[in-house]
């Protein structure tokens, strides 16, 4: 099984159309089974999407309608044009930069999404509050595993601390963790170079960092420079880069390979984050 996660930055990216093409090229070559995306947006006042863009969508109750430039819908449409069936779900969470419906999405290539759920993990549940956070999870046909796409807040945020969001998340999925493997995929804003904070807490809760257990892996860096939200936090980011994007599993798992993708050396850069692609194998 191949899993991919990427914080896309979507329509905020310069040269968006070219980067969208590069992203599609990478997907067609790698053929991940599940793709978890964050910062998936659409222009809030764009035209509504037509039926050709909605094919394969699993609507989330109460969500805003999909619009013509929705990033997830455009990705799925291009994959379908290339002959790949894709089942997908998108969860708008907040208004980003004053003009985008922004949220998270999950794509399943080749298998239909059989169940989906969405729930908030922040105290704030205000669509106009940029700190609002929510999670989207799916099951796909023929599998008991649950796959979640996640964009967490920061450890030291006075209004929305990471720890409170993490507790809401883990309490909500605790029963699923007992029944099957659970995969948490996304931007956790949890650099592993900072001791005693988010990354170590996740490990202490029993989650497996697939980077640590991978038989083959690269350096793992997913953010090479200072980006929004980190400009005043760590002085050594410019020198070292950091891991903010992870694929965690609730169970011990065999991982054949862990690769950073869309980083300039393994495919062109398409976002201010790089992607993570893992290939699992049975024990």
């Amino acid at each position: 099984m191949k899993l991919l996660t990427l914080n896309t930055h979507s329509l905020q990216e310069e040269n968006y159309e070219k980067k969208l093409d590069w992203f599609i090229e990478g997907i067609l070559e790698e053929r991940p089974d599940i793709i978890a995306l964050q910062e998936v947006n659409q222009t809030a006042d764009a035209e509504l999407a037509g039926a050709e863009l909605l094919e394969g969508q699993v609507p989330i109750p109460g969500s805003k309608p999909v619009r013509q430039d929705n990033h997830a819908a455009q990705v799925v449409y291009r994959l379908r044009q290339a002959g790949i069936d894709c089942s997908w779900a998108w969860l708008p969470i907040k208004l980003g930069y004053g003009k985008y419906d922004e949220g998270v999405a999950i794509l399943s290539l080749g298998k239909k999404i059989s169940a989906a759920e969405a729930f908030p993990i922040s105290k704030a549940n205000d669509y106009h509050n940029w700190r609002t956070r929510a999670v989207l999870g799916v099951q796909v046909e023929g599998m008991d595993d649950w796959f979640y796409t996640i964009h967490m807040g920061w450890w030291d945020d006075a209004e929305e601390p990471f720890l409170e969001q993490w507790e809401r998340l883990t309490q909500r999925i605790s029963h699923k963790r007992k029944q099957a493997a659970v995969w948490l995929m996304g931007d956790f804003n949890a650099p592993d170079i900072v001791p005693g904070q988010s990354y170590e807490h996740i490990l202490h809760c029993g989650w497996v960092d697939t980077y640590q257990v991978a038989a083959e892996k690269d350096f793992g860096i997913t953010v090479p420079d200072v980006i929004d939200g980190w400009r005043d936090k760590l002085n050594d980011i410019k020198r070292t880069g950091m891991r903010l994007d992870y694929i965690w599993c609730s169970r011990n798992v065999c991982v054949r390979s862990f690769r950073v993708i869309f980083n300039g050396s393994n495919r062109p850069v398409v976002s201010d984050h790089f992607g993570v692609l893992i290939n699992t194998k049975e024990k």
Side-chain angles (χ1 to χ4, degrees), residues 147-200:
F147 303 90
Y148 290 87
T149 178
I150 297 171
H151 190 180
M152 300 289 294
W154 294 268
W155 176 263
D156 57 357
D157 190 308
E159 296 182 38
E160 286 288 347
F162 174 95
L163 197 56
E164 291 182 8
Q165 295 179 4
W166 176 255
E167 291 302 317
R168 294 186 191 98
L169 167 63
T170 53
Q171 287 177 15
R172 181 64 181 261
I173 64 175
S174 61
H175 64 291
K176 291 185 173 67
R177 189 175 173 182
K178 296 174 183 177
Q179 298 168 353
V182 177
W183 302 83
L184 306 182
M185 308 164 64
D187 175 0
F188 285 77
N189 276 310
D192 62 351
I193 60 175
V194 181
Q197 293 190 6
S198 310
Y199 177 80
E200 287 189 359

Side-chain angles (χ1 to χ4, degrees), residues 58-93:
V58 176
I60 303 301
S63 291
K64 292 184 176 295
V66 175
R67 298 190 179 273
Q68 191 73 25
D69 61 358
N70 182 284
H71 178 67
Q74 289 294 334
V75 169
V76 171
Y77 178 70
R78 284 163 170 76
L79 291 175
R80 186 166 289 110
Q81 285 184 313
I84 297 180
D85 288 333
C86 189
S87 184
W88 63 287
W90 173 65
L91 175 68
I93 298 172

Side-chain angles (χ1 to χ4, degrees), residues 1 3 34 114-115 137-148 176 179-183 249-251 253 280 282:
M1 179 172 64
L3 304 178
I34 302 291
S114 56
V138 304
Q139 278 183 314
V140 299
E141 60 183 6
M143 295 187 70
D144 294 325
D145 299 32
W146 276 88
F147 303 90
Y148 290 87
K176 291 185 173 67
Q179 298 168 353
V182 177
W183 302 83
C249 189
S250 62
R251 298 184 175 182
V253 61
T280 68
E282 297 297 328

